[in-house]
Amino acid sequence: MGSWWKILLSIPTKKSTSLIGENLSHMEEPIYRTTPERTAKMMIIVLAICAVGAAIFFTLWDYWISSPAAVVLMKSAKAAEEAPAVATGKEVKVSLAFVESSDLRTLAFNALPGESGNNPTIEASVGDKIIIDVVNNGKSFHAFGITQEEEGFAGIIQGTDIASASNPLKPGEGGKTEFVPSKEGTYYYICTVPGHRELGMIGKIVVGSVQAAPKVQAAAPTGVKHQFDLNFVESSDFKTLAFNALPGEEGNNPEIRVQSGDEVTIKATNTGKSFHAFGVVINPEDPNTVVWNSAIALPSKPLKPNESGEVTFLAGAPGTYYYICTVPGHALQGMKGTFIVE
């Protein structure tokens, strides 16, 4: 009887079977840490934050790309401490050719060492416009730039470069650059491809005092006053910039012509969506050559859309100058006009 009793106890009852099934069913059900509704709300909040951030970023897109890098800001601050150069109106034209020895171990400009014309020294005065035509007469790849560094290929002055080490001039290719020195001293024209300067591609530019050209001094105040209104304008894709009207439209980058000693007032208004600043410069490719305290705003603190500024100054020495947007790169995109002082 004892064995039969054990068998009966081992047989599950209906109630126990039901309890076991309920437990198994409960274990198979998913356990939610939150509800689908709360998850949906969380996702909506995250997407909204991303959307707002993206809107702010792309609304200020041109600000991010137009604000100068720290290096440019440092250079601008340094230039502000120096007295601006006065354009002499004199042009110094030079032709330079990259040349190489047959074994490519010796490099130079115009002629190899020991030959006539090797790495000619260029002499100029502060404010002279040095115009350099460069051509690659070798079989290697080269690039050009002007620097005040006594060694290496760094410190190239903005706007003086032709090609680059990463995108050099191929044999037979060439280019042109202009350089207006704003202070005395020795500069160096070099091949900016690493190592080529050390192999001999280096020449000097010796810049003397502007006092050697007294005929270009500014005239005494004439009492004549001029007022010019200039508007910063942009194409819809921001690739073309200009003053007053886009290229091909009437009024694009109007020429300004005054007499030395005239009083000039310029009002600049930002009618675009980007950020801009104004100045009359010697070299349109170098926003650091602003003359006569003619700046309106600064690249580091530009005019925002719909903002405007005004400046009054006396036109200096006779010569050809340029009014530009001094935000780096904007003059190259078209914000450049001629300012002639007679």
Side-chain angles (χ1 to χ4, degrees), residues 5 14 66 72-73 75 84 100 109 113 116 119 229 268:
W5 178 250
K14 182 177 181 180
S66 65
V72 176
L73 291 174
K75 181 179 178 182
E100 310 148 354
F109 288 97
S116 177
N119 296 343
D229 293 322

Side-chain angles (χ1 to χ4, degrees), residues 98 100 134-143 162-175 193:
F98 297 100
E100 310 148 354
V134 177
V135 63
N136 184 357
N137 283 348
K139 296 181 179 179
S140 184
F141 296 87
H142 302 291
I162 299 175
S164 64
S166 59
N167 187 24
L169 294 174
K170 299 175 182 177
E173 292 183 339
V193 174

